[in-house]
Amino acid sequence: MADTSVTLCGVRLDNPVIPASGTFGYGYEFAELYDIECLGSLSFKGTTREARFGNPTPRIAECEAGMLNSVGLQNPGVEKVLSEELPRLKACFSKPIMANVSGFSVEEYAETCRRLDGEEQIGWFEVNVSCPNVHGGGMSFGTSPKAAAEVTAAVRRVTKKPILIKLSPNVTDIVSVAKACKAAGADGISLINTLLGMRIDLKTKRPVLANKTGGLSGPAVKPVALRMVYQVYEAVSVPIVGMGGVSSAEDVIEMMLAGATAVEVGAANLVDPFASKKIVESLPETMESYGISSLKEIIGAAHRG
Amino acid sequence: MKQTEMTVVGNRPLTETVWEMVLEGDTSPLSSPGQFVNIRLDGLYLRRPISVCDREGDRLTLVYKTVGKGTKKMTTLGIGERLDLLSGLGNGYDTALSGENPLLVGGGVGIPPLYGLCKELRREGKAVQVILGFNTEREIFYEENFRALGAEVYLATADGSRGEKGFVTDVMKRLSYTYFYTCGPMPMFFAVEKVAKTSGQFSFEERMGCGFGACMGCSCKTLYGNKRICRDGPVLKREEIVWPTRQ
């Protein structure tokens, strides 16, 4: 019997498959389609202290083997997440939840995590440091090891739950950011967030997205994600949640070979709402076809020998 | 919503750019006119949301305009090909509010979902008036289909080549009706909003990621909070719409 279980920062998952934040709402929409209890966990919609509408539309554009989004963290704000979204999620999912949190200042990150910390079912915080720092000239926290470390340290002070910092790939040296986060108290690293991209409409001769730029996701980014997971695994001793273009059980295994302990599925959920479920279901036979009996044994296997 | 496979049983051009595709399979996920399907097409990453024009038994009619890669690809699909659809998406039009003499106002490729709506309203025994707006005569489609349903049909073309010269709202101004339903381009919506004398429902279009409410790509602001065009729409009631400031 194939063993799909893994342990992420001390919390056990039946399988490493986790729908990625922003592609799975707060889970209950998908529970109308299938029993989401089959998932390893799920990372809920990026939550901020205040409610946000996000960016103007259009905020979706297609491209070869992927898509761009500039949704801009639309969410109802942490209070409504606590009072309305989480009760609905908890009614259809009993496993540890990954709480994805965003902010525009160090204080906001800490405050949002502090509000969520009392939720017993939250197994991990996944802190998205790709947002612009309003006090730092609008530059993303994740592009500076120092700023990313400040966010990590601030969140560390308000919770004892495991903290994963979700890194932006839009940097020259991902390893230095990962190292800084670990040194500041991160228990793990999630990567990659979307790659900054653009499309231009030939008819209007203007960018397709109202925000002009957006984040690229989907199969197109998978090789970049694999490379970054591999680099961080090699250089930093820290559990990694790998993501970027994962659409199949084979992709999950590939991400784990690069060094991921768990794997998130993002854009694939939008194209096929059953994608995460199908990946979970096909994992055992895919493992078997590659002679893998236990998934945790292959984590980082590509680095050996 | 349901994921379903349907077979192409018809696919033909109605005008130079507007095509009619008939699919056969499980139509049970659809519950009201104005809903849409999201179609997976080979070689394209995102599905393509297309409004449902008509549903009769196990047959579904989609009328679509070739505007980009996806719709052009759709024209190449032949009889017998199987399509992967997410079906029964969106809220659709609410016919309960129509009153006895509703008015349907369609512009160009916004017309198709109004056909299924017209059929439903006629089935409910309502006296339906329809205004169809096009740029020019050779773009006209479905005029006879609406007439065959027993609706009173008015035509408007921007260049006056058929029907009344002008816009749908030029006709709308002089008609009396109990309620209205509309689908078409944004400039037409602004004009309809200006001249409408009753409550009504508008069906919106937006670029979508998933089409079923997960990605928040197609959100809009309403008087009752943020709504997702794909899931809480595409049909919004006149009373809740926050009109974007015009440029």
Side-chain angles (χ1 to χ4, degrees), chain A residues 68-91:
Chain A
L68 295 169
N69 90 81
S70 57
V71 169
L73 295 169
Q74 180 178 345
N75 79 94
V78 68
E79 295 309 325
K80 272 213 168 143
V81 168
L82 283 163
S83 64
E84 290 173 23
E85 306 289 344
L86 286 184
R88 291 181 72 180
L89 167 56
K90 288 193 280 192

Side-chain angles (χ1 to χ4, degrees), chain B residues 59-106:
Chain B
R59 289 200 167 195
L60 208 64
T61 305
L62 310 175
V63 172
Y64 60 99
K65 187 175 178 181
T66 56
V67 286
K69 258 192 211 169
T71 42
K72 274 184 194 124
K73 175 119 202 163
M74 283 173 67
T75 65
T76 67
L77 297 174
I79 308 292
E81 288 201 58
R82 308 274 291 162
L83 279 182
D84 166 357
L85 281 85
L86 299 178
S87 184
L89 301 174
N91 58 354
Y93 292 108
D94 183 355
T95 60
L97 301 164
S98 73
E100 283 312 302
N101 189 18
L103 172 66
L104 313 191
V105 184

Side-chain angles (χ1 to χ4, degrees), chain A:
Chain A
M1 187 62 191
D3 178 9
T4 58
S5 71
V6 294
T7 301
L8 176 63
C9 306
V11 183
R12 187 184 180 278
L13 294 97
D14 296 336
N15 65 69
V17 180
I18 304 172
S21 180
T23 66
F24 214 70
Y26 292 88
Y28 54 82
E29 292 95 342
F30 284 80
E32 291 170 23
L33 300 172
Y34 64 88
D35 184 359
I36 63 171
E37 198 68 13
C38 67
L39 303 168
S41 174
L42 66 86
S43 181
F44 65 54
K45 176 82 185 136
T47 296
T48 52
R49 189 172 54 194
E50 270 80 45
R52 286 177 57 82
F53 174 76
N55 291 317
T57 57
R59 51 195 198 184
I60 299 286
E62 187 188 49
C63 53
E64 281 69 24
M67 60 182 285
L68 295 169
N69 90 81
S70 57
V71 169
L73 295 169
Q74 180 178 345
N75 79 94
V78 68
E79 295 309 325
K80 272 213 168 143
V81 168
L82 283 163
S83 64
E84 290 173 23
E85 306 289 344
L86 286 184
R88 291 181 72 180
L89 167 56
K90 288 193 280 192
C92 53
F93 191 69
S94 73
K95 296 179 180 179
I97 298 163
M98 195 173 278
N100 188 286
V101 169
S102 284
F104 298 86
S105 69
V106 172
E107 301 71 42
E108 185 186 348
Y109 279 104
E111 174 65 9
T112 307
C113 290
R114 194 187 61 73
R115 285 294 293 125
L116 289 165
D117 193 48
E119 284 292 321
E120 207 176 313
Q121 208 179 323
I122 291 176
W124 314 262
F125 281 105
E126 184 180 58
V127 181
N128 168 18
V129 290
S130 298
C131 327
N133 177 1
V134 291
H135 301 308
M139 230 187 41
S140 153
F141 289 98
T143 55
S144 144
K146 186 170 167 283
E150 280 171 23
V151 173
T152 309
V155 174
R156 181 76 288 164
R157 282 192 287 272
V158 300
T159 183
K160 291 193 165 59
K161 292 184 196 282
I163 302 168
L164 299 151
I165 305 295
K166 184 170 176 180
L167 300 187
S168 164
N170 305 308
V171 295
T172 356
D173 180 11
I174 191 87
V175 167
S176 65
V177 188
K179 277 184 176 165
C181 293
K182 192 194 173 198
D187 302 284
I189 296 293
S190 276
L191 75 168
I192 58 174
N193 208 319
T194 55
L195 282 150
L196 204 56
M198 184 183 234
R199 287 297 313 270
I200 296 166
D201 185 320
L202 269 61
K203 285 178 194 154
T204 63
K205 300 178 178 60
R206 291 283 177 277
V208 173
L209 298 171
N211 190 52
K212 298 189 178 72
T213 62
L216 175 63
S217 60
V221 310
K222 197 181 83 175
V224 179
L226 282 164
R227 183 262 296 176
M228 289 188 157
V229 168
Y230 188 94
Q231 283 180 318
V232 171
Y233 184 90
E234 186 113 312
V236 194
S237 173
V238 67
I240 298 167
V241 178
M243 75 203 74
V246 173
S247 319
S248 65
E250 283 84 354
D251 292 344
V252 170
I253 292 172
E254 194 175 359
M255 209 50 95
M256 293 183 78
L257 291 169
T261 296
V263 177
E264 291 187 19
V265 178
N269 293 310
L270 309 179
V271 179
D272 176 359
F274 299 92
S276 291
K277 175 182 194 266
K278 287 177 186 164
I279 293 172
V280 169
E281 285 170 352
S282 58
L283 254 180
E285 60 183 273
T286 311
M287 287 167 64
E288 201 172 313
S289 70
Y290 291 96
I292 300 162
S293 55
S294 166
L295 271 187
K296 44 185 165 293
E297 282 165 21
I298 67 158
I299 297 167
H303 297 260
R304 289 171 209 154

